[in-house]
Amino acid sequence: MYAVEFEAPIKDGVVHIPKDYHNLYENREVRVFIIPIKEFNKKDSFNPKDFFGLGNVSKDEIDDYIQSSKDEWNNAF
């Protein structure tokens, strides 16, 4: 597994992948991490309490996912 890092705009909830990467990731599932380039204003700051209860995934399912991801990374080397 490897990662590619690039900056991209998000417009209307859509991440616009640079043309250089279109063919590389066409029709593939990927894991996306979104890290803002600039600091948020205080009024725009992330509040995890806003998202409490939105998911319908149990704690056990989350723990299983974290463990399997950890195992995947450990077995990669």
Side-chain angles (χ1 to χ4, degrees), residues 6-7 9 16 33 47 50 53-55 58 61:
F6 56 84
E7 293 182 9
H16 297 270
F33 297 88
N47 182 355
D50 292 341
L54 285 180
S58 72
E61 289 174 296

Side-chain angles (χ1 to χ4, degrees), residues 1-47:
M1 183 169 88
Y2 65 94
V4 176
E5 179 179 340
F6 56 84
E7 293 182 9
I10 300 176
K11 294 181 182 174
D12 297 324
V14 176
V15 176
H16 297 270
I17 298 174
K19 289 181 183 179
D20 294 345
Y21 302 111
H22 282 197
N23 290 335
L24 182 63
Y25 292 108
E26 191 69 28
N27 295 321
R28 296 189 60 189
E29 289 187 23
V30 298
R31 184 166 292 150
V32 177
F33 297 88
I34 297 176
I35 304 170
I37 294 173
K38 65 176 189 158
E39 292 288 323
F40 285 114
N41 293 329
K42 182 68 174 168
K43 65 179 179 152
D44 295 332
S45 64
F46 175 76
N47 182 355

